Amino acid sequence: MPANYSGTWDIVENENFEAYMVALGIDFATRKIAGMLKPQKVIEQDGDSFDIKTLTSFRNYSCTFKVGEEFEEVTKGLDNRKCKTLVNWDGDKLVCVQKGEIKDRGWTHWIEGDVLYLELRCGDKTCKQTYKKTA
Ligand code: 1AG
């Protein structure tokens, strides 16, 4: 049985997000807005099937995938790139590789109790986000 990520999670920490956005080539004005946001993750999981919604007052981002099955991801409203994306289990961690124009891009999610962690990687930059379960 894989871990269960389902729930509503509110951000409490967002470390190095600015450097991550610079690495993605996000423009200054958008970075200033995005840096103020308090994203909420709404995750629906059914076994290996995931729907992860990142909700903010500015823009939302939604990512739907099945673990172990590569798909075409368009990071619409973020840096608007196309990636060949693959998410795999590493134990109870969800490890994502986003192959495309940018080298060494991806993210990892894991859970400890009612805390959800997200590490976002872009090149040599890593952003570490922490979310608390609220529902
Ligand atoms: C994400 O993916 C992606 C969200 O969590 C953050 C990634 C990049 C931010 C890039 C550009 C910012 C531009 C506009 C901001 C608009 C919305 C902000 C949404 C999030 C702000 C933190 C991983 C995810 C799995 O698919 O959890």
Side-chain angles (χ1 to χ4, degrees):
M1 272 287 276
N4 183 20
Y5 285 76
S6 294
T8 300
W9 310 82
D10 289 356
I11 199 157
V12 288
E13 275 176 63
N14 194 0
E15 190 189 310
N16 222 26
F17 187 48
E18 167 72 9
Y20 173 76
M21 289 191 288
V22 170
L24 281 177
I26 307 297
D27 68 80
F28 180 86
T30 307
R31 293 203 312 272
K32 294 306 122 185
I33 297 167
M36 301 283 292
L37 300 172
K38 297 287 174 209
Q40 182 181 61
K41 297 270 180 196
V42 177
I43 303 180
E44 287 176 37
Q45 178 189 354
D46 179 7
D48 282 346
S49 296
F50 280 82
D51 180 11
I52 302 183
K53 292 190 169 67
T54 305
L55 306 176
T56 77
S57 54
F58 176 53
R59 269 177 214 162
N60 301 322
Y61 184 69
S62 178
C63 188
T64 304
F65 59 87
K66 201 161 175 195
V67 175
E69 291 184 7
E70 190 176 72
F71 64 100
E72 276 251 319
E73 179 178 19
V74 181
T75 57
K76 194 172 176 314
L78 304 176
D79 60 316
N80 297 303
R81 284 188 176 87
K82 272 190 194 167
C83 303
K84 292 228 184 286
T85 301
L86 176 62
V87 184
N88 276 305
W89 291 113
D90 173 9
D92 282 340
K93 286 191 178 186
L94 275 180
V95 180
C96 172
V97 176
Q98 293 166 307
K99 269 192 294 176
E101 184 187 339
I102 295 185
K103 265 185 55 173
D104 298 326
R105 178 174 187 176
W107 51 257
T108 300
H109 265 302
W110 69 98
I111 289 174
E112 288 171 18
D114 65 348
V115 180
L116 171 75
Y117 294 93
L118 172 61
E119 209 174 80
L120 293 158
R121 296 176 297 277
C122 183
D124 62 351
K125 299 294 183 277
T126 301
C127 165
K128 291 182 180 176
Q129 300 184 340
T130 307
Y131 295 79
K132 271 278 238 194
K133 193 163 190 173
T134 52

